[in-house]
Amino acid sequence: MATMKFMCDAERCIECNGCVTACKNANEVEWGVQRRRVVTLNDGEPSEVSISVACMHCDDAPCIAVCPTETLYQRDDGIVLHDKDLCIGCGYCLYACPFGAPQFPKQNAFGERGKMDKCTFCAGGPAETREEEYQKYGANRIAEGKLPLCAEMCSTKALLAGDAQEVADIFRQRVVQRGHKDGAWSGNPRADADSLAYDATQQG
């Protein structure tokens, strides 16, 4: 069975936030919750890059390890999902996640945060009916044979989603084309630069 993964090609991301908007539209998450966000590193410097971040559906997910109520679980295809009926809003998953993926809609007295929400890879979650599933977890595009909407709507195809091997093959081919002196960058002044990810749209 395929293992599903996200990967963001930082050299292609133009910080348009199209992935963020697509996620909001597909899942209609609560106000204040962002399952996906764009982070910019070295803002304003020549080395500035942006990357789209959400739950990375880790192979050995630390959020699953620390959850005291077994709210989080991993499917056979590697997608990490959560059961909102079991969540007590303790926030352990938020502290354990290196990507800050778990989100909480509230910040009340005594540490009450509400039910945790996070990216589901557009795979829904445990529910008895499709209507309940959409209300709690958002769209289940995986069941329809589709990829997450954030990746499908990425205008520069910086955000890739799908079978980990296929995603890796796509990125590997991009690296070869962008970095090889006699390849796609022949004659380009940046061809000799130590950059594995110079994008074709910027050539010239």
Side-chain angles (χ1 to χ4, degrees):
M1 175 178 280
T3 300
M4 308 300 275
K5 293 293 180 184
F6 280 121
M7 198 218 73
C8 184
D9 187 344
E11 294 294 328
R12 281 188 172 224
C13 181
I14 58 174
E15 199 183 354
C16 68
N17 282 283
C19 55
V20 178
T21 304
C23 180
K24 281 280 191 182
N25 288 342
N27 301 301
E28 297 184 12
V29 294
E30 294 185 55
W31 180 259
V33 172
Q34 279 192 307
R35 292 184 176 182
R36 179 166 290 283
R37 63 195 185 282
V38 176
V39 177
T40 300
L41 307 174
N42 302 324
D43 195 11
E45 300 177 12
S47 57
E48 175 182 319
V49 292
S50 295
I51 185 169
S52 181
V53 180
C55 175
M56 300 305 286
H57 302 275
C58 307
D59 290 337
D60 187 15
C63 57
I64 295 176
V66 300
C67 181
T69 61
E70 298 183 353
T71 294
L72 292 133
Y73 62 97
Q74 193 159 34
R75 301 190 341 173
D76 291 339
D77 59 5
I79 297 174
V80 176
L81 297 179
H82 61 293
D83 187 338
K84 288 193 175 185
D85 293 334
L86 298 177
C87 180
I88 59 174
C90 66
Y92 287 1
C93 55
L94 174 61
Y95 302 130
C97 178
F99 306 104
Q103 305 277 304
F104 292 88
K106 302 175 184 177
Q107 187 61 56
N108 293 339
F110 308 110
E112 171 58 33
R113 297 176 176 86
K115 301 293 186 180
M116 186 270 283
D117 193 278
K118 75 171 195 70
C119 163
T120 64
F121 210 89
C122 284
E128 294 183 3
T129 65
R130 291 187 64 181
E131 292 75 17
E132 182 187 1
E133 181 183 44
Y134 184 79
Q135 183 181 12
K136 286 183 177 181
Y137 308 102
N140 190 345
R141 294 172 56 85
I142 298 298
E144 299 172 2
K146 302 174 182 176
L147 291 175
L149 191 61
C150 56
E152 287 201 356
M153 294 301 290
C154 181
S155 58
T156 61
K157 299 305 175 194
L159 184 60
L160 302 173
D163 175 30
Q165 189 58 55
E166 291 184 18
V167 168
D169 289 343
I170 291 169
F171 186 67
R172 188 176 299 111
Q173 184 60 34
R174 287 182 183 179
V175 169
V176 169
Q177 290 178 339
R178 290 188 290 213
H180 197 279
K181 293 181 181 180
D182 300 323
W185 304 111
S186 181
N188 190 292
R190 286 194 55 176
D192 295 326
D194 184 18
S195 172
L196 293 178
Y198 177 61
D199 189 67
T201 61
Q202 300 177 24
Q203 187 174 4

